[in-house]
């Protein structure tokens, strides 16, 4: 696991990168907000130094004349979610998928089906819930949770039978976009009336108000500590539901009554580097993705590494190595593609 240090490149490695990558075209499909957050202009300058052209793709225009592209990096989650109910977004997505079908040699970071599954917390939480089996040696877990589809009549019974414990945190089923960050903390069965389906209910795990964000870029990952929700008394209590937006809680600058511990407590050790590396390896396989974030907390009672969230193409804030890591991953996928192509050509009849 890499901590965020200044990137180091020896002149030789830059020269080698430049020769291998010179003339490559990398397309980006990002919302205006994401484009700014990634600082795409700065990334384009960084890539130009390695002979790589960064092209901002206009989804509203025919894609073929904007190409060709060796790789397309995207965060089409906005378009995918809106395409559920908006014909214009459906058309944009259809155009993009048609282009990709007609250009199979263009590498997509990340594949659309892989991204689509993470847009649904039901799907991502099913993946998280299996981690304790595949990572048994590393004592990795995720909190008990419940999928609330539509019927709320049996929620209280399900909370008990599925082993959830109050407080509960309630999150929308849709895992992307502004509404997806509106959440609530529920402190007793009587407040389950505040739950609105479709959503997930997840046991709240006390973790000392420290979140460990793991930012993944292909085979590299970077850990960044962030503020987080404070501890709450375990078990049901007569307290009103707390409604909050997750972006008030775990951004670098987040600071509120929700993130300030009510009691002094000894600091917790960070998650083991080896356990995080094992978790990232497993998720790379399970998700089939290269650009994602994993949110980890440490249970203050058991010190268990607890996975609470997986994010598509996050912000990578606090990761100065993001640009070289992304270009290095792009280079590695193109090398892999060239090897496969050369291998196939050298072995006729395959
Ligand atoms: N089960 C949990 N136990 C304790 N705290 C939790 C739990 N789930 C979420 N939190 C707290 O709520 C915050 C937001 O949760 P989560 O990451 O699931 O929301 P999100 O909207 O997907 O956030 P983002 O997209 O910014 O990662 C976390 O950073 C953490 O502080
Ligand atoms: O602090 P991070 O980098 O985790 O913040 C991310 C957040 O986790 C989500 O991935 C956001 O995406 P959406 O869920 O699609 O809103 C990211 O927003 P974005 O504008 O960068 O895509 C946050 O950066
Ligand atoms: Mg999160």
């Amino acid at each position: 696991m890499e901590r965020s240090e200044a990137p180091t490149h020896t002149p030789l490695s830059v020269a080698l990168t430049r020769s291998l990558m010179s003339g490559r075209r990398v397309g980006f499909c990002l919302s205006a907000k994401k484009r700014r957050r990634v600082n795409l202009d700065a990334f384009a300058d960084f890539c130009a130094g390695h002979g790589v052209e960064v092209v901002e793709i206009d989804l509203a225009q025919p894609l073929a004349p904007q190409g060709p592209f060796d790789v397309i990096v995207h965060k089409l989650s906005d378009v995918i979610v809106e395409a559920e109910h908006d014909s214009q977004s459906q058309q944009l997505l259809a155009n993009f998928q048609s282009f990709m079908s007609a250009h199979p040699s263009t590498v997509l970071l990340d594949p659309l089906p892989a991204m689509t599954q993470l847009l649904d917390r039901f799907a991502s939480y099913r993946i998280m819930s299996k981690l304790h089996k595949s990572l048994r040696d590393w004592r990795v877990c995720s909190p008990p949770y419940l999928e609330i589809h539509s019927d709320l009549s049996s929620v209280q019974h399900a909370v008990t039978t599925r082993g959830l414990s109050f407080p509960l945190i309630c999150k929308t089923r849709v895992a992307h976009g502004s509404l997806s960050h509106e959440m609530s903390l529920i402190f007793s069965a009587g407040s389950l009336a505040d739950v609105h389906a479709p959503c997930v209910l997840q046991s709240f795990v006390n973790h000392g108000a420290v979140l460990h964000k793991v930012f993944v870029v292909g085979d590299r990952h970077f850990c960044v500590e962030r503020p987080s929700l404070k501890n709450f008394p375990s078990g049901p209590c007569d307290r009103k539901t707390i409604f909050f937006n997750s972006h008030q809680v775990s951004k670098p600058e987040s600071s509120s009554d929700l993130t300030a511990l009510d009691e002094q407590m000894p600091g917790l050790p960070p998650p083991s580097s080896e356990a995080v590396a094992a978790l990232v390896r497993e998720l790379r396989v399970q998700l089939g993705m290269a650009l994602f974030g994993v949110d980890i907390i440490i249970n203050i009672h058991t010190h268990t590494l607890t996975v609470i969230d997986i994010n598509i193409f996050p912000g990578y804030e606090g990761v100065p190595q993001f640009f070289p890591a992304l270009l290095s991953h792009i280079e590695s996928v193109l090398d892999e593609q060239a090897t496969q192509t050369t291998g196939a050509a050298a072995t006729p009849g395959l």
Side-chain angles (χ1 to χ4, degrees):
M1 168 172 55
E2 297 178 73
R3 297 275 165 207
S4 300
E5 290 98 20
T8 53
H9 275 297
T10 58
L12 174 62
S13 70
V14 171
L16 280 175
T17 301
R18 187 181 178 90
S19 65
L20 287 170
M21 292 290 280
S22 192
R24 297 291 193 169
R25 295 186 91 237
V26 179
F28 274 79
C29 261
L30 301 175
S31 66
K33 185 182 84 160
K34 188 63 174 179
R35 184 190 180 289
R36 288 191 299 274
R37 196 191 295 279
V38 167
N39 197 343
L40 193 57
D41 293 336
F43 185 65
D45 293 342
F46 175 78
C47 288
H50 293 72
V52 174
E53 182 186 2
V54 166
V55 178
E56 197 173 349
I57 296 171
D58 180 351
L59 266 187
Q61 300 302 323
L63 272 72
Q66 301 179 62
F69 304 107
D70 296 292
V71 177
I72 292 180
V73 179
H74 73 95
K75 185 165 188 178
L76 285 174
S77 26
D78 294 308
V79 177
I80 297 168
V81 168
E82 285 153 17
E84 290 287 310
H85 52 75
D86 173 67
S87 58
Q88 191 177 1
S89 298
Q90 286 164 8
Q91 190 58 59
L92 292 177
L93 194 55
N95 293 345
F96 185 81
Q97 289 170 312
S98 299
F99 174 84
M100 292 309 298
S101 300
H103 300 81
S105 63
T106 297
V107 178
L108 190 57
L109 295 181
D110 279 303
L112 284 176
M115 178 171 282
T116 304
Q117 77 173 338
L118 283 192
L119 292 175
D120 180 354
R121 283 194 175 97
F122 289 3
S124 58
Y125 282 38
R126 284 173 205 154
I127 291 169
M128 287 158 47
S129 68
K130 294 172 185 158
L131 290 171
H132 74 281
K133 290 180 191 151
S134 49
L135 295 166
R136 188 181 308 277
D137 300 341
W138 298 103
R139 295 188 66 233
V140 171
C141 76
S142 67
Y145 79 101
L146 200 52
E147 296 177 4
I148 311 294
H149 291 251
S150 55
D151 174 20
L152 290 165
S153 60
S154 58
V155 172
Q156 185 168 345
H157 175 67
V159 164
T160 307
T161 54
R162 293 290 297 270
L164 277 73
S165 53
F166 289 100
L168 300 174
I169 187 164
C170 182
K171 310 176 188 181
T172 56
R173 175 173 184 175
V174 176
H176 158 74
S178 54
L179 295 180
S180 71
H181 305 300
E182 296 299 334
M183 311 192 154
S184 58
L185 284 170
I186 294 174
F187 294 93
S188 67
S191 297
L192 287 170
D194 292 330
V195 168
H196 300 290
C199 63
V200 291
L201 288 176
Q202 192 184 48
S203 292
F204 182 89
V205 174
N206 280 328
H207 57 284
V210 174
L211 177 79
H212 300 277
K213 276 207 172 283
V214 181
F215 291 115
V216 179
V217 184
D219 294 333
R220 296 176 72 183
H221 62 273
F222 308 88
C223 262
V224 173
E225 276 191 17
R226 289 279 184 83
S228 193
L229 288 178
K230 66 183 179 182
N231 300 330
F232 289 92
S234 299
C237 73
D238 184 18
R239 178 167 183 167
K240 290 180 71 175
T241 300
I242 295 175
F243 296 91
F244 69 99
N245 184 298
S246 65
H247 285 182
Q248 296 163 347
V249 167
S250 292
K251 292 302 177 192
E253 69 286 351
S254 298
S255 173
S256 72
D257 291 344
L258 277 180
T259 60
L261 285 171
D262 294 327
E263 75 291 337
Q264 288 302 315
M265 60 168 281
L268 290 164
S272 115
S273 303
E274 294 78 12
V276 171
L279 169 65
V280 168
R281 280 194 302 272
E282 177 66 15
L283 283 174
R284 287 266 285 145
V285 170
Q286 292 289 336
L287 301 175
M289 296 176 78
L291 301 177
F292 60 93
V294 194
D295 292 347
I296 294 171
I297 57 178
I298 302 295
N299 183 314
I300 61 169
H301 303 297
T302 64
H303 289 194
T304 306
L305 188 159
T306 307
V307 178
I308 56 169
D309 181 34
I310 303 174
N311 294 302
I312 299 163
F313 198 156
Y316 294 94
E317 192 170 356
V319 181
Q321 308 93 326
F322 176 57
F323 284 1
L326 179 55
L327 183 58
S328 172
H329 179 65
I330 289 169
E331 183 179 355
S332 68
V333 294
L334 291 176
D335 285 351
E336 172 66 21
Q337 185 187 55
T339 306
Q340 286 173 356
T341 308
T342 312
T347 318
L350 274 184

